Amino acid sequence: MSTKKDKFTLQDKHLMKLAFNLASSRKGLTGDNPAVGCVITKKNQIISVGRTGLSGRPHAEYNAIKDCHENLNGSKMYVTLEPCNHYGKTPPCTKKIIESGISQIYYPTEDIDKKVKGKSFKILTKNKIKVNRGLLKSLSKDFYKSYSINRKNKLPYVTGKIAVSRNDLIYSNKRRKITNNYSDKFTHLLRYKNDSILISYRTLNKDNPKLNCRLKGLESFSPKRIILDNKLNSKPNKYIIANAKKNNTIIFYNEASKSKILSFKKKKILLVRSKVNKDKNFDFQDILKKLFKIGCRNLLIEGGGVLTNNLLKKRVFNEFYLYKGQRTLSKFSDYLKFNDFDLLREKYKKKIKLNLKLGKDKITLFKK
């Protein structure tokens, strides 16, 4: 039985993977725009590369063309998403591509943005540029899942994480440290890649976290801090409250005294009133919708046991990182055990063991 011949060469695939690597370096850092990578070749040699600028502009194609110091006539472009074709805050990339002299373009799939979707093919082919679609399409679908959720559902892409000890505890007041320094750095990488981070007031009051990115050189990419606090019971002396700055700390609440509300507002904290159900738990879909409206596109949740359990049951997480530390915590103290392994496996069937050098710690990624 004959199989359909793959129209893309091994070199085409390698070049598109390189473009995805460039895009990956910007993932989570481009606001409303997708993170895109671009590679330009001529006579089988790479002559330029580009990636989406921080906050979403300039676009990858524009950067690759601008930074190329060779004649682009007869060259090929490999880009991870259909180029834009409409005027917005910047001119369309299709116009720049046509003017450059590029003769062929490869991209995996159409942009889901209705202003762009499918239109670039017609524009480029009309201008005698050969368009090759479908290269690494399956990789593209997974890579742009967060962008798709943002655009289609008007919701942030939600990532969860929790660390458990060797004996499955997530807390012990005798010794709180669960993971090693390598795992800690991976957490800070997640914070760097997400524009917002959410905890409950219980976690705030118990652990007094900073929730910032402490990777050298990336401190300025620390996410906005989001706290769920129904009655504004967050303690004002905790680090996040005491060091709040305008627009970087948000508390969702439902009911509180006027004096408490005024006290938090004086600390430059944005208070957002949100719905609760009959059990006095927040309507989390309402929280997500409000976060999206104020600019959150990628949300990391570092919740405690109660919050994590509730969100696992509701399948809120688009992906979830389970850290397994090799330290044994004491049960002869105030402690909390993680009992949701079966729930995690049931709700998130795609399981990926990350091949990272983390000493003896292990991290498993669960995805929808």
Side-chain angles (χ1 to χ4, degrees), residues 38-40 47-51 59-72 75-77 83 92-102 105:
C38 180
V39 176
I40 302 176
I47 58 173
S48 189
V49 299
R51 55 184 178 169
H59 292 182
E61 303 94 315
Y62 172 88
N63 286 332
I65 292 169
K66 175 179 68 70
D67 293 340
C68 186
H69 302 295
E70 296 190 34
N71 189 313
L72 286 169
S75 62
K76 297 179 182 180
M77 173 181 278
C93 289
T94 48
K95 184 174 186 291
K96 195 76 177 172
I97 292 165
I98 293 163
E99 292 172 348
S100 72
I102 289 169
I105 183 167

Side-chain angles (χ1 to χ4, degrees), residues 162-173 178 206 304-306 308-309 322 324 329-331 333-341:
I162 203 162
V164 301
S165 67
R166 192 171 184 174
N167 55 336
D168 298 336
L169 302 191
I170 59 174
Y171 171 79
S172 171
N173 66 355
I178 293 175
K206 183 182 285 186
V306 175
T308 298
N309 178 271
L322 177 66
K324 184 72 171 180
L329 298 189
S330 172
K331 287 188 177 181
S333 63
D334 179 20
Y335 71 90
L336 187 62
K337 188 170 184 177
F338 185 72
N339 295 308
D340 293 328
F341 294 107

Side-chain angles (χ1 to χ4, degrees), residues 200-206 227-238 241 251-257 259-261 263-264 269 271 280 282:
S200 69
Y201 80 93
R202 292 185 185 88
T203 297
L204 173 79
N205 290 343
K206 183 182 285 186
I227 304 164
L228 300 183
D229 187 358
N230 189 346
K231 297 183 178 181
L232 294 184
N233 288 323
S234 297
K235 294 179 181 177
N237 64 335
K238 298 302 179 182
I241 306 299
I251 296 181
F252 284 90
Y253 78 105
N254 178 256
E255 57 178 322
S257 66
S259 60
K260 274 191 175 182
I261 291 170
S263 173
F264 280 101
I269 291 169
L271 296 180
K280 297 299 180 180
F282 283 109

Side-chain angles (χ1 to χ4, degrees), residues 2-188:
S2 61
T3 57
K4 188 177 178 181
K5 188 177 179 181
D6 192 342
K7 67 178 179 178
F8 301 114
T9 67
L10 191 59
Q11 181 172 308
D12 290 333
K13 294 173 183 177
H14 283 320
L15 290 165
M16 188 58 81
K17 284 180 182 177
L18 174 58
F20 271 109
N21 285 339
L22 289 163
S24 183
S25 68
R26 284 288 191 258
K27 196 169 185 184
L29 306 171
T30 57
D32 284 327
N33 288 340
V36 174
C38 180
V39 176
I40 302 176
T41 68
K42 188 172 182 178
K43 296 179 181 178
N44 294 321
Q45 298 291 318
I46 295 173
I47 58 173
S48 189
V49 299
R51 55 184 178 169
T52 308
L54 295 173
S55 299
R57 296 179 188 83
H59 292 182
E61 303 94 315
Y62 172 88
N63 286 332
I65 292 169
K66 175 179 68 70
D67 293 340
C68 186
H69 302 295
E70 296 190 34
N71 189 313
L72 286 169
N73 288 331
S75 62
K76 297 179 182 180
M77 173 181 278
Y78 296 80
V79 62
T80 57
L81 192 64
E82 177 184 10
C84 71
N85 49 54
H86 65 286
Y87 281 87
K89 293 184 178 179
T90 56
C93 289
T94 48
K95 184 174 186 291
K96 195 76 177 172
I97 292 165
I98 293 163
E99 292 172 348
S100 72
I102 289 169
S103 64
Q104 285 195 62
I105 183 167
Y106 294 75
Y107 58 84
T109 187
E110 295 176 342
D111 193 333
I112 62 167
D113 188 340
K114 292 179 181 178
K115 292 177 288 187
V116 179
K117 188 175 183 180
K119 296 173 184 175
S120 296
F121 178 80
K122 294 177 182 178
I123 293 168
L124 294 169
T125 52
K126 185 179 178 181
N127 284 273
K128 297 182 171 53
I129 295 173
K130 185 179 179 182
V131 180
N132 304 281
R133 297 176 291 181
L135 177 56
L136 299 188
K137 188 175 181 179
S138 58
L139 175 59
S140 174
K141 184 179 179 181
D142 186 62
F143 185 86
Y144 287 112
K145 190 174 181 181
S146 58
Y147 171 62
S148 178
I149 286 170
N150 290 165
R151 285 295 165 111
K152 287 182 178 179
N153 301 339
K154 305 296 181 190
L155 295 173
Y157 187 81
V158 183
T159 299
K161 68 161 283 276
I162 203 162
V164 301
S165 67
R166 192 171 184 174
N167 55 336
D168 298 336
L169 302 191
I170 59 174
Y171 171 79
S172 171
N173 66 355
K174 284 284 179 90
R175 182 179 184 179
R176 296 187 180 185
K177 186 70 174 168
I178 293 175
T179 52
N180 61 31
N181 290 334
Y182 302 109
S183 296
D184 292 347
K185 286 183 178 180
F186 186 79
T187 293
H188 289 287

